[in-house]
Amino acid sequence: MKPAVLVTREVFDEVLVFLGEHFEVESNQGDTPFSPDEFAARLADKAGALATIGDRVDESLLARCPQLRAVCNIAVGFNNLDLAACSQHGVMATNTPGVLDDSTADFIWALILAAARRVGESERYLRAGQWRGWKLKQFLGTDVHHATLGILGMGRIGQKVARRAWGFDMRVVYHNTRRLPPDIERACKATYVGMDELLAQADILSVHTPYSPATHHLVSANEFAKMKDGVVFIHASRGGVVDDGALVAALKSGRIGAAGLDVYEGEPKLHAELLKFENVVLTPHIASSSEATRRNMAMLAAQNLVTALTGAVPPNLLNPDVKPSVK
Ligand code: DGY
């Protein structure tokens, strides 16, 4: 008999076809998120799950799912997965690194340009029928070219963002927990600086760190206070890395000139006051969402699941202390 797996949210048809070749598939193509109880009930008799960032996998869930051997996130981020608990229960956890880097970096540039050059605000003005003709001082924005781009968190996506800055003749500075090897720094044309220097030097500051207890509110009132007046602030990594209350205060004070945000603390809810600022571009966690990339992410997660449940080590295993087993 084929192992049973759960697909927690809507995926592309080819992914379901592929999974169906290997598993008995129960899938939530209606796409309504499961409550924690429903998730546990549906997963109780499954060997694997194709999951998304909204599916919390922790001790209380795992204790109710004795058959479970693999949870494969359709995301590079995995802060919805308690890896220690997964290991404790012998459950392999995987993510989808690499396939979304370029699309995500493209989108971060969309946020940079839209925020700096007031695209959202001016489009709303035009659509509201307020445009009466060309004016010299209309929607004066901030130049991106020749500015200093600061990158906080220089992993795969941060590096892709840096490389895209060349075309704008920018200077790129970055801060990371570990300094990059010289050849990568050269390839990115990026200079390592301390956190305070990064905050002080960046005209445009983009945050690229995963969420963990260590990065909770990594950017808060103290950090906003050290940024340049009028900085363009970009955040598309993970809700919780930035203290959204402090961000609102920094926007109110004028410290931040413009912002482009794709992720929020407690999303899909967001700090109500963010909606009030004309100089903030707000998007609904879509940085990786090109058609090709979301298809690739879902298929990579499905391949991880097939590999994990057929007794091999999936390439994107996050907790290598768990060894594959065929039950
Ligand atoms: C990820 O992959 O972690 C993204 O945030 C979801 O698109």
Side-chain angles (χ1 to χ4, degrees), residues 168-229:
F168 290 87
D169 296 314
M170 298 178 89
R171 175 172 168 257
V172 180
V173 290
Y174 78 96
H175 182 71
N176 202 37
T177 40
R178 262 188 304 245
R179 185 171 176 171
L180 298 177
D183 56 322
I184 301 187
E185 279 189 352
R186 267 195 305 277
C188 295
K189 296 192 180 133
T191 305
Y192 179 81
V193 291
M195 180 73 163
D196 282 357
E197 288 170 272
L198 179 87
L199 299 173
Q201 291 181 18
D203 300 306
I204 297 167
L205 184 68
S206 189
V207 181
H208 296 282
T209 56
Y211 181 80
S212 72
T215 60
H216 180 73
H217 287 186
L218 181 67
V219 181
S220 191
N222 188 37
E223 288 68 36
F224 286 120
K226 293 176 180 170
M227 291 179 198
K228 272 191 180 174
D229 272 337

Side-chain angles (χ1 to χ4, degrees), residues 53 73-79 96 100 104 157 236-238 262-263 267 285-289 294 297:
I53 54 173
N73 245 16
I74 309 176
V76 65
F78 52 87
N79 54 303
T96 61
L100 47 72
T104 303
I157 295 171
S237 64
R238 201 48 111 236
D262 187 51
V263 293
E267 63 184 52
H285 203 146
I286 56 166
S288 65
S289 190
R294 286 282 167 96
M297 289 165 67

